[in-house]
């Protein structure tokens, strides 16, 4: 009998491993840590995506302002009317127009106000406003995502359309 008890004690001492409760606790801890990490990473990715979209929008709006500035500097005469910029060409072959087109584009219309020859400057806009005050005009661009951008441009005295001043 002693030998049977000794054998049973030796077998219980030799048995190594984990119980089911210990395994469930380990799995629960690993799952909770993984869930927290997934939430943090998804929040970081969302913030990163928003920042990339904002940076891209800011880049395109600044490019649009640079294109408009170049067109204004290369025009012979400038006039602002009906919420658009009218540019007289140096070669005296007509006018070009910078305006809002099809509700969400800023375009340069070559030759006439309703020309079929257009150059897209910026897309995805909500509103485009041009206001003139003396020798300065202001451009406001409201983007579809709610951001608003404003820039002012000076008009050189020699580039003003004759008869205005």
């Amino acid at each position: 009998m002693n030998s049977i008890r000794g054998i049973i004690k030796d077998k219980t001492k030799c048995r190594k491993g984990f119980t089911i409760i210990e395994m469930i606790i380990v799995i629960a801890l690993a799952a909770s840590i993984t869930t927290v990490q997934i939430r943090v990473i998804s929040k970081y990715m969302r913030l990163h995506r928003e920042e990339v979209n904002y940076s891209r929008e800011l880049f395109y709006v600044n490019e649009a302002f640079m294109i408009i500035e170049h067109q204004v500097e290369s025009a012979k005469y400038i006039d602002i009317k009906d919420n658009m910029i009218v540019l007289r060409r140096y070669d005296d072959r007509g006018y070009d127009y910078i305006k809002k087109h099809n509700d969400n584009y800023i375009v340069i219309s070559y030759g006439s106000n309703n020309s079929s020859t257009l150059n897209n400057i910026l897309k995805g806009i909500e509103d485009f406003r041009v206001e003139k005050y003396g020798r300065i005009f202001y451009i406001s661009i409201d983007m579809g995502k709610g951001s608003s951008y404003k820039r002012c441009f000076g008009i050189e005295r020699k580039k003003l359309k004759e008869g205005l001043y």
Side-chain angles (χ1 to χ4, degrees):
M1 201 85 151
N2 269 344
S3 65
I4 294 176
R5 281 188 187 169
I7 293 173
I8 293 175
K9 283 185 179 179
D10 287 341
K11 283 188 177 183
T12 58
K13 287 183 181 177
C14 291
R15 188 187 275 176
K16 293 186 179 177
F18 300 106
T19 63
I20 292 178
I21 294 174
E22 291 172 334
M23 291 298 289
I24 291 173
I25 291 172
V26 168
I27 291 172
L29 286 173
S32 63
I33 290 172
T34 305
T35 303
V36 169
Q37 287 177 344
I38 289 172
R39 286 184 180 171
V40 167
I41 289 172
S42 65
K43 183 178 180 180
Y44 171 76
M45 293 300 290
R46 183 181 51 82
L47 290 173
H48 176 70
R49 191 172 33 254
E50 289 173 3
E51 184 66 29
V52 166
N53 289 339
Y54 173 75
S55 296
R56 184 178 297 135
E57 179 180 279
L58 182 63
F59 173 78
Y60 286 132
V61 169
N62 283 331
E63 285 290 315
F65 281 135
M66 287 173 39
I67 291 169
I68 292 170
E69 183 177 19
H70 174 71
Q71 292 294 322
V72 166
E73 288 176 356
S74 62
K76 187 173 184 180
Y77 300 116
I78 299 164
D79 194 11
I80 309 298
K81 63 180 178 180
D82 298 332
N83 204 31
M84 70 177 134
I85 304 169
V86 181
L87 307 165
R88 174 76 180 202
R89 296 183 193 166
Y90 263 108
D91 59 6
D92 289 329
R93 294 179 62 187
Y95 294 90
D96 297 332
Y97 302 85
I98 299 176
K99 62 180 184 168
K100 183 178 178 182
H101 183 68
N102 287 345
D103 294 330
N104 62 349
Y105 287 91
I106 298 175
V107 298
I108 300 174
S109 177
Y110 296 105
S112 73
N113 186 11
N114 296 319
S115 173
S116 61
T117 308
L118 301 174
N119 188 4
N120 291 333
I121 297 175
L122 184 63
K123 67 178 184 175
I125 67 164
E126 282 290 320
D127 195 19
F128 174 71
R129 292 180 307 281
V130 182
E131 300 169 2
K132 182 173 161 186
Y133 298 104
R135 294 180 8 197
I136 297 175
F137 68 93
Y138 296 91
I139 296 177
S140 299
I141 300 173
D142 295 335
M143 296 303 290
K145 296 178 182 174
S147 302
S148 181
Y149 302 92
K150 297 178 182 179
R151 185 83 41 99
C152 75
F153 297 92
I155 304 173
E156 296 176 25
R157 189 96 175 135
K158 64 181 179 180
K159 287 190 177 183
L160 290 172
K161 191 172 180 180
E162 292 177 4
L164 290 177
Y165 294 95

